[in-house]
């Protein structure tokens, strides 16, 4: 009798645990459903051509997402271009070059970068990074690389380049911490085998650490990309928020996240709100898929 | 020729060392610059008034962010009140039922949830709470923050509870305790103080979030405790002041950033320190 009672008690607890677990999964699916539901009017009126239309005009109630998709992709791409090599090198520096006690401090400091709120990055960006780009970096780039259209045009401080720079600092901890955990998985005998063949430390790193970790590194980069695509506040404060597509990296632009942050509270026509929800849905799906992709690589990696 | 080649390899080796060192500096220098910038600018604009006064209109000197500090505390507590019970329960589920299909799906969902851009969470909370209630509200902000905290709490509690060795569970079962008692009174009770670190970590993340609050809690210029009213928060207040053209307001933004940074970094470092200590003690680095 007593046994039966404790069994039903067990069953009750398991039932509660399972229900809560299902609730959490349901929240995730609920987000997709709610976004889809609110974006539906915009999807119905614009369809997929929304993605390719250049015009974003709340006054005339006409919406196209291309400038924001452009802004998001360009800033994230430049940020990855800078952050990927830096993060891999930092991860190697921590795992291969530093003694353990020191490595802990450095990796703690790098992870501290991830703890800084993005609003503080934005504030620092406005008052330090933007003037630096305007007065030092942009003139330098124009002087030496001015023949390339990318580096032409006036720089106002805020623009694609500044936003991309701040993004690159923000995603380094994401990429480097995953790289570090992957590099730590490399077995010691693999490194020793490389040394035994007479390689220098650099050659050992190239042969025994980097090449077998390439798929893991790529998943770290994709996770960093997911972070960069969705980053809102710092980018909103530094990109200039104008929905234009230009060839210069000094020009202002806007990202999907920044236009949402700027216009959502003031949007008053139903189509405007719905179009912003459409953008949110696109952003959600893109980050969702890139994270899913990265997770599956990491999984196959840790199993193999 | 042979000597040259060896020199070339050695040079490459040294070049690489310099590159790794350089990239470490490339991240640490901005970190220190941000901290130094916020410290210097923030400390010079900070005064006691900042904590005790409400904002003053443009042009008047002084004023503070008392309402925003209180607002952030309220919002974070509200978020935690929602996220902690759900999060810890999920952590228990994941650590007790490691192999079930539901737990694999839950884990994937949690991973994906932590990757959702915070602005999208803000829009979700707006659509779910602000639209039906027809006004910006603290409740909506709290719900948005809870969705941000949830994955962090679930992940850390799972990690911590997984570190409880199986023989402790088995000892409980051997004494004839039912499993629910083992889970609640043996596994969970022993780890409650450690679970707190995960919660602190989640709070330190949520306290700095701006994007999900922009159109949920929205912000205002006075103290309010009503759950169905807009509520100010430190990050949103900093944002409003930072993009304003007024010098005094920008100074206030710096002071706010200083307070926020000290708050968040100290909580974050404290939680991390405790977490590494737990892992060290249990023999896992």
């Amino acid at each position: 009798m007593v046994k039966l009672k404790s069994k039903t008690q067990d069953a009750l607890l398991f039932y509660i645990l399972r229900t809560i677990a299902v609730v959490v999964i349901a929240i995730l699916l609920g987000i997709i459903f709610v976004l889809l539901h609110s974006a539906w009017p915009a999807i119905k009126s614009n369809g997929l051509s929304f993605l390719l239309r250049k015009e974003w005009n709340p006054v005339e109630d006409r919406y196209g997402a291309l400038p924001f998709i452009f802004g998001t992709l360009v800033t994230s791409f430049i940020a990855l271009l800078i952050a990927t090599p830096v993060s891999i090198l930092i991860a190697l520096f921590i795992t291969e070059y530093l003694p353990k006690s020191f490595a802990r401090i450095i990796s703690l400091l790098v992870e501290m970068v991830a703890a800084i709120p993005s609003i503080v990055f934005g504030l620092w960006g406005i008052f330090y990074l933007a003037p630096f780009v305007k007065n030092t970096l942009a003139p330098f780039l124009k002087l030496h690389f001015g023949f390339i259209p990318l580096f032409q045009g006036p720089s106002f401080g805020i623009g694609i380049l500044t936003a991309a720079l701040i993004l690159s600092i923000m995603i380094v901890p994401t990429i480097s911490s995953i790289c570090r955990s992957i590099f730590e998985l490399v077995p010691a005998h693999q490194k020793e085998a490389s040394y035994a063949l007479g390689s220098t430390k650099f050659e050992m790193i190239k042969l025994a650490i980097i090449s077998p970790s390439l798929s893991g590194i790529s998943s770290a980069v994709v996770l960093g990309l997911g972070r960069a695509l969705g980053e809102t506040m710092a980018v909103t404060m530094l990109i200039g928020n104008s929905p234009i597509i230009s060839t210069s990296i000094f020009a202002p632009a806007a990202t999907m996240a920044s236009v949402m942050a700027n216009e959502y509270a003031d949007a008053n026509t139903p189509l405007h709100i719905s179009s912003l929800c459409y953008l949110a849905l696109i952003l959600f799906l893109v980050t969702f898929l890139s994270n899913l992709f990265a997770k599956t690589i990491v999984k196959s990696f840790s199993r193999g | 020729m042979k000597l040259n080649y060896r020199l070339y390899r050695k040079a490459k080796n040294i070049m690489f060392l310099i590159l790794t060192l350089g990239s470490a500096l490339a991240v640490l220098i901005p970190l220190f610059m941000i901290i130094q910038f916020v410290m210097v600018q923030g400390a010079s604009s900070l005064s006691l008034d900042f904590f005790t006064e409400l904002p003053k209109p443009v042009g008047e000197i002084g004023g503070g962010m008392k309402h925003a500090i209180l607002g952030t505390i309220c919002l974070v507590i509200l978020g935690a009140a929602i996220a902690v019970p759900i999060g810890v329960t999920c952590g228990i589920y994941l650590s007790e039922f490691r192999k079930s299909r539901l737990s694999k799906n839950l884990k994937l969902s949690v991973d994906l949830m932590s990757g959702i851009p915070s602005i999208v969470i803000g829009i979700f909370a707006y659509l779910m709470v602000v639209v039906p209630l027809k006004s910006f509200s603290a409740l909506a902000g709290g719900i948005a923050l809870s969705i941000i905290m949830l994955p962090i709490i679930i992940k850390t509690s799972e990690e911590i509870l997984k570190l409880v060795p199986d023989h402790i569970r088995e000892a409980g079962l051997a004494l004839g305790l039912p499993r629910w008692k083992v889970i609640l009174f043996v596994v969970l009770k022993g780890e409650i103080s450690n679970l707190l670190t995960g919660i602190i970590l989640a709070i330190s993340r949520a306290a700095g979030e701006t994007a999900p609050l922009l159109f949920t809690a929205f912000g205002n210029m006075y103290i309010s405790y009503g759950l169905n009213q807009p509520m100010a928060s430190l990050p949103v207040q900093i944002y409003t002041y930072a993009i304003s053209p007024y010098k005094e307001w920008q100074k206030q933004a710096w002071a706010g950033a200083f307070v926020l940074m000290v708050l968040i970094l100290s909580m974050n470092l404290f939680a991390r320190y405790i977490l590494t200590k737990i892992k060290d003690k249990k023999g896992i680095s």
Side-chain angles (χ1 to χ4, degrees):
Chain A
M1 187 62 211
V2 173
K3 207 173 175 190
L4 191 76
K5 203 177 156 207
S6 66
K7 263 209 174 136
T8 48
Q9 286 168 336
D10 273 0
L12 186 68
L13 179 74
F14 298 161
Y15 182 74
I16 295 171
L17 290 179
R18 230 172 276 137
T19 314
I20 300 282
V22 170
V23 164
V24 170
I25 298 174
I27 292 175
L28 187 69
L29 298 177
I31 294 176
I32 303 177
F33 176 77
V34 167
L35 287 178
L36 193 63
H37 177 78
S38 331
W40 194 245
I43 297 175
K44 226 166 55 184
S45 81
N46 285 326
L48 285 176
S49 70
F50 179 71
L51 303 177
L52 297 172
R53 281 230 307 270
K54 270 193 204 169
E55 192 185 19
W56 181 268
N57 193 336
V59 182
E60 291 177 24
D61 225 16
R62 278 209 295 260
Y63 306 97
L66 196 61
F68 310 113
I69 294 174
F70 167 82
T72 307
L73 290 182
V74 168
T75 46
S76 304
F77 181 71
I78 300 174
L80 279 185
L81 219 55
I82 303 168
T84 306
V86 170
S87 317
I88 295 173
L89 288 172
I90 287 185
L92 286 172
F93 186 59
I94 291 172
T95 51
E96 298 304 316
Y97 285 97
L98 289 177
K100 208 164 183 186
S101 55
F102 215 62
R104 256 198 181 176
I105 299 173
I106 300 286
S107 58
L108 185 72
L109 284 175
V110 173
E111 268 160 38
M112 233 167 95
V113 176
I116 295 177
S118 91
I119 186 89
V120 174
F121 275 109
L123 197 63
W124 180 73
I126 287 183
F127 290 96
Y128 179 82
L129 195 61
F132 171 76
V133 168
K134 186 180 169 193
N135 300 327
T136 315
L137 191 60
F140 173 81
L141 287 173
K142 268 187 228 172
L143 188 67
H144 295 280
F145 305 98
F147 54 90
I148 308 170
L150 277 180
F151 301 110
Q152 287 165 1
S155 167
F156 308 105
I158 52 175
I160 295 174
L161 181 63
T162 318
L165 283 176
I166 215 80
L167 268 183
S168 67
I169 301 172
M170 295 175 79
I171 62 176
V172 161
T174 314
I175 305 179
S176 77
S177 75
I178 300 169
C179 284
R180 204 159 51 90
S181 59
I182 290 166
F183 296 158
E184 276 165 1
L185 288 178
V186 174
H189 62 79
Q190 200 165 310
K191 299 183 203 168
E192 281 154 13
S194 177
Y195 278 133
L197 289 172
S199 43
T200 59
K201 190 151 196 171
F202 167 63
E203 286 157 346
M204 181 279 283
I205 286 172
K206 205 168 71 174
L207 289 171
I209 299 181
I210 299 283
S211 6
S213 310
L214 276 180
S215 69
I217 293 174
S218 64
S219 82
V221 172
V222 174
L223 278 179
L225 176 69
R227 177 99 205 274
L229 292 172
E231 176 49 47
T232 314
M233 292 325 289
V235 173
T236 306
M237 292 163 89
L238 293 173
I239 200 162
N241 300 311
S242 46
I244 49 170
I245 299 177
S246 74
T247 51
S248 163
I249 60 167
F250 304 129
T255 66
M256 293 194 261
S258 80
V259 70
M260 282 184 250
N262 270 320
E263 294 186 5
Y264 200 87
D266 312 320
N268 35 32
T269 70
L271 192 60
H272 193 184
I273 295 176
S274 178
S275 300
L276 287 168
C277 288
Y278 197 175
L279 276 179
L281 183 68
I282 297 167
L283 186 61
F284 177 86
L285 290 178
V286 171
T287 49
F288 189 89
L289 291 178
S290 61
N291 284 330
L292 195 64
F293 174 73
K295 282 280 157 350
T296 41
I297 300 179
V298 167
K299 234 187 202 165
S300 66
F301 195 82
S302 57
R303 231 186 259 140
Chain B
M1 184 59 208
K2 217 175 174 185
L3 184 72
N4 267 349
Y5 186 60
R6 196 188 292 161
L7 273 178
Y8 167 71
R9 285 175 61 204
K10 280 214 163 132
K12 252 199 337 198
N13 196 25
I14 292 171
M15 278 293 290
F16 189 71
L17 175 62
I18 294 171
L19 265 179
T20 54
L21 197 68
S23 57
L25 289 178
V27 174
L28 295 185
I29 288 175
L31 174 69
F32 287 122
M33 275 170 79
I34 291 172
I35 291 176
Q36 183 248 356
F37 225 69
V38 171
M39 293 293 159
V40 171
Q41 298 273 349
S44 68
S45 341
L46 200 64
S47 62
L48 195 60
D49 284 357
F50 183 83
F51 298 98
T52 57
E53 298 267 317
L54 290 177
K56 294 223 168 113
V58 182
E60 278 179 53
I61 310 258
M65 288 197 192
K66 184 184 174 189
H67 67 306
I69 296 172
L70 287 173
T72 285
I73 293 172
C74 279
L75 288 169
V76 165
I77 290 176
L78 192 61
I82 303 168
V84 169
I86 300 180
V88 173
T89 317
C90 283
I92 297 174
Y93 184 81
L94 287 175
S95 71
E96 295 297 320
F97 300 89
R98 290 173 209 187
K99 291 267 155 68
S100 79
R101 224 177 67 201
L102 180 60
S103 104
K104 271 174 198 146
N105 287 332
L106 178 60
K107 252 180 135 156
L108 184 67
S109 305
V110 170
D111 280 336
L112 293 173
M113 205 183 235
S114 65
I116 301 175
S118 55
I119 184 94
V120 174
I121 291 175
I123 287 185
F124 173 69
Y126 175 89
L127 294 169
M128 287 298 284
V129 188
V130 177
V131 171
L133 295 182
K134 294 193 176 64
S135 116
F136 296 114
S137 63
L139 183 66
I143 288 177
L145 290 186
S146 75
I147 298 178
I148 286 176
M149 294 160 103
L150 205 50
I152 305 171
I153 297 181
I154 295 178
K155 266 189 208 160
T156 46
S157 15
E158 183 206 354
E159 259 177 53
I160 288 166
L161 294 175
K162 264 190 179 168
L163 290 179
V164 176
D166 275 341
H167 62 77
I168 288 186
R169 292 190 179 89
E170 282 154 13
L173 292 173
L175 289 172
L177 291 176
R179 258 192 97 177
W180 70 275
K181 273 194 179 163
V182 173
I183 292 172
L184 291 185
F185 299 111
V186 179
V187 178
L188 196 61
K189 206 172 174 189
E191 298 294 324
I192 273 192
S193 57
N194 295 339
L195 288 175
L196 270 178
T197 56
I199 295 167
I200 293 174
L201 210 58
I203 286 177
S204 81
R205 167 81 198 280
E209 283 289 345
T210 320
L213 297 178
L214 278 177
F215 24 78
T216 52
F218 195 65
N220 59 29
M221 287 296 191
Y222 49 87
I223 295 174
S224 76
Y225 296 107
L227 282 188
N228 53 358
Q229 285 165 11
M231 188 177 270
S233 63
L234 215 39
V236 174
Q237 196 74 20
I238 294 170
Y239 177 59
T240 327
Y241 280 3
I243 58 173
S244 79
Y246 312 112
K247 266 261 150 3
E248 304 94 72
W249 277 17
Q250 290 172 2
K251 280 188 91 170
Q252 290 277 324
W254 281 111
F258 176 75
V259 173
L260 196 65
M261 278 271 274
V262 170
L263 202 76
I264 288 175
L265 288 186
S266 54
M267 278 199 291
N268 195 282
L269 286 177
F270 172 74
R272 274 175 196 287
Y273 173 72
I274 302 280
L275 278 177
T276 46
K277 255 182 94 173
I278 296 170
K279 285 182 184 171
D280 280 356
K281 217 164 87 185
K282 303 237 158 104
I284 298 154
S285 67

